[in-house]
Amino acid sequence: MTGGTGFLGKVYMEKLLYSCPKLDKLYLLIREKKGVSADKRIADLFENPLFKRLKSSNPDFMKKVVLVPGDLGLPNLGISPSDEQTLIDKVSVVYHAGATVRFYEPLPVSININFDGTRKMLELSQRMKNIEAFVYVSTAFAQANAKVLVETAYPSPAKVEDVYKFIEEHGHDKHAVKKFIGSHFGTYAFAKALSEAYIAKNHGKVPAVIIRPSAVTATKDGPVKGWLDNWFGASGILYYINEGVIRVLHGHGNHTVDFIPVDYVSNLCIISALRAKESNEVQVYNSTSTSDNPVNWDTIFNTMKEEKTLSGKNKFPYLSMTYVDSKLALQLGTFFLQITPAVLADLWLKIKGKDPKYLKVVTQALTIRNAYDYFTTNNFILRSDRTRELHSSLSPEDREEFPCDPTQIRWPEYLKDNMNGIYKYLKAPKIL
């Protein structure tokens, strides 16, 4: 597996080791990072509270985890010849979630890691003697023009050779890159779309699965309810809305937003590998919620407001939300409803002899809000018919052990758990 140190990867690894006792070995591709060795990184990883139940049920679980030093961005994945041969001889399922998840990574970097890394992983899988499944974790937002996303492969956004040629000539020109990737919301989504199409066309005899999660949020059921470990995805914007810092959104309150619990994505990855051999075509599953169990921005905000009113802990008083249609209205609303109050509050602090802080906080929040503009202004319908069908085909015991049907999410309860997890497991920005 790749991406084991990431948010989804941790949950996937824990679930696999906890709920699949017949697993022989888990080979984890891991790179050294900022002078920290692979051994140290994995030791620190398993100190996470996420692994508490695994340690309790199987204290020797580490004997099943084999570290494979490597790097998706290097030739041959940075894997030694001996490790490569071990993988070729032993591995039957490849789970590839390793990526750089920054939306607007420079195009050469995103293509090198997110596309070339995927291509090299697929080529390695094709040399594995016992390969049964290649599971690729993409994103539900890879297909920029698909406002109704179905569970099938889509055409490539560009020819691979044209992408390489463009990078050679214009790869570091931000304006040229923006034009080249078109309506994709960033280089991340573009590289994912390119990878999806490449896998669909080139997987050959390797049974291939593409998993498309939407905005991945905290665990719903376990092993730790409400657990998460980073500010990527929706955590930042939810936090600042909850604090009353973000008060103006570009979009509509009735626009649906597609959140999916991280354990639902992990469970789908596991059970989809089981069925990979049933078709010669690449199998696509959307891990999404808008089609079958939608939630909109109004519901999210009202749930937060109700909780804040009950607790009386809103640090920015008078929690409110205004939705606007245009960029001009967004600028005016932001100036009058967010920046002006922050400037006045800072002026009051200065009069009292204290350091100003409110404008800085609002500026930080606006950066996050603006980065999320693509998701607040679009109304997505991301279908998950095949995912629900796959889950319903399991035995009752496995359906309970590996939940991934989005209709089972009770949003008011889950949104509270998700927000509690943000405050409990993430180091909050210094807001006051």
Side-chain angles (χ1 to χ4, degrees):
M1 68 174 293
T2 70
T5 59
F7 176 38
L8 173 60
K10 292 186 184 77
V11 177
Y12 173 86
M13 181 159 48
E14 194 278 343
K15 184 66 173 180
L16 202 62
L17 291 167
Y18 181 81
S19 297
C20 303
K22 294 182 180 180
L23 174 74
D24 179 28
K25 297 291 183 191
L26 192 156
Y27 295 91
L28 176 63
L29 185 74
I30 188 169
R31 64 185 175 90
E32 292 189 356
K33 188 175 182 181
K34 295 179 181 177
V36 181
S37 68
D39 287 335
K40 180 67 166 62
R41 288 189 70 195
I42 199 68
D44 292 343
L45 185 150
F46 287 129
E47 289 301 312
N48 195 291
L50 180 74
F51 294 93
K52 184 177 180 180
R53 73 169 183 180
L54 178 61
K55 289 180 177 180
S56 177
S57 66
N58 181 15
D60 296 327
F61 76 92
M62 270 296 294
K63 293 180 179 179
K64 291 189 174 187
V65 180
V66 180
L67 300 187
V68 180
D71 190 323
L72 293 175
L74 295 179
N76 300 318
L77 300 167
I79 299 175
S80 71
S82 60
D83 282 340
E84 181 180 82
Q85 191 59 50
T86 298
L87 299 178
I88 291 171
D89 292 338
K90 299 291 186 180
V91 170
S92 57
V93 174
V94 171
Y95 165 87
H96 178 46
T100 171
V101 296
R102 292 183 175 87
F103 290 165
Y104 299 99
E105 193 81 79
L107 185 62
V109 176
S110 189
I111 292 298
N112 182 41
I113 296 175
N114 293 345
F115 174 73
D116 282 333
T118 299
R119 177 180 56 79
K120 288 179 282 191
M121 282 302 306
L122 182 61
E123 290 171 355
L124 176 59
S125 302
Q126 290 168 334
R127 290 186 284 135
M128 292 175 176
K129 299 176 182 178
N130 305 300
I131 191 68
E132 296 180 7
F134 178 89
V135 180
Y136 174 64
V137 179
S138 183
T139 171
F141 305 107
Q143 309 302 330
N145 296 317
K147 291 299 186 290
V148 178
L149 184 76
V150 296
E151 292 161 297
T152 188
Y154 284 80
S156 180
K159 293 181 179 179
V160 174
E161 56 269 28
D162 290 344
V163 175
Y164 288 137
K165 183 179 179 181
F166 174 84
I167 288 176
E168 185 177 346
E169 297 176 355
H170 308 290
H172 294 283
D173 184 333
K174 291 184 179 180
H175 295 291
V177 167
K178 187 174 182 180
K179 184 177 179 180
F180 182 74
I181 67 175
S183 54
H184 289 86
F185 73 87
T187 55
Y188 170 76
F190 179 82
K192 287 291 188 178
L194 197 68
S195 297
E196 282 192 18
Y198 184 88
I199 293 168
K201 183 178 180 181
N202 297 285
H203 68 93
K205 295 182 179 179
V206 175
V209 176
I210 294 173
I211 304 294
R212 294 194 190 117
S214 55
V216 183
T217 46
T219 51
K220 174 182 174 290
D221 299 313
V224 182
K225 187 183 288 289
W227 178 87
L228 71 174
D229 74 341
N230 65 71
W231 286 101
F232 292 122
S235 297
I237 192 168
L238 292 179
Y239 173 81
Y240 281 115
I241 290 174
N242 194 58
E243 288 293 342
V245 184
I246 293 178
R247 294 171 177 266
V248 184
L249 279 182
H250 188 195
H252 293 276
N254 61 1
H255 275 183
T256 55
V257 56
D258 205 300
F259 293 155
I260 196 73
V262 63
D263 45 332
Y264 273 40
V265 186
S266 167
N267 292 336
L268 177 59
C269 290
I270 293 173
I271 64 176
S272 66
L274 180 69
R275 303 294 173 84
K277 293 190 294 183
E278 294 181 359
S279 173
N280 292 326
E281 301 296 323
V282 65
Q283 298 187 49
V284 182
Y285 298 96
N286 293 341
S287 189
T288 56
S289 59
T290 44
S291 176
D292 304 296
N293 188 11
V295 62
N296 61 31
W297 286 104
D298 268 342
T299 299
I300 293 169
F301 174 74
N302 290 333
T303 300
M304 292 179 177
K305 186 175 182 180
E306 179 184 347
E307 283 295 292
K308 282 293 185 182
T309 301
L310 290 174
S311 67
K313 294 180 180 178
N314 48 315
K315 295 176 181 177
F316 280 63
Y318 312 114
L319 213 62
S320 66
M321 182 60 66
T322 300
Y323 302 97
V324 295
D325 288 324
S326 69
K327 285 292 182 72
L328 177 59
L330 181 67
Q331 292 172 351
L332 290 173
T334 299
F335 178 77
F336 287 110
L337 299 178
Q338 295 190 210
I339 294 177
T340 300
V343 170
L344 293 175
D346 279 345
L347 180 60
W348 177 245
L349 287 178
K350 288 182 179 180
I351 292 172
K352 295 171 66 176
K354 296 182 179 180
D355 293 332
K357 56 186 176 182
Y358 290 103
L359 184 59
K360 181 179 179 181
V361 171
V362 168
T363 301
Q364 292 172 341
L366 292 179
T367 299
I368 293 173
R369 184 202 68 180
N370 295 340
Y372 219 77
D373 187 76
Y374 178 83
F375 302 96
T376 60
T377 56
N378 287 292
N379 200 29
F380 300 100
I381 300 176
L382 311 177
R383 301 198 63 86
S384 57
D385 306 75
R386 296 190 70 232
T387 292
R388 292 185 295 106
E389 181 183 349
L390 175 62
H391 183 255
S392 66
S393 71
L394 301 176
S395 67
E397 294 79 14
D398 282 344
R399 284 200 299 271
E400 184 175 351
E401 185 67 28
F402 298 95
C404 60
D405 183 344
T407 62
Q408 297 176 352
I409 303 171
R410 301 294 176 260
W411 286 112
E413 177 185 345
Y414 173 69
L415 289 169
K416 294 173 187 176
D417 289 339
N418 182 76
M419 187 53 60
N420 288 336
I422 290 174
Y423 283 88
K424 183 175 181 179
Y425 295 108
L426 301 183
K427 185 178 180 181
K430 293 181 179 179
I431 189 165
L432 287 177

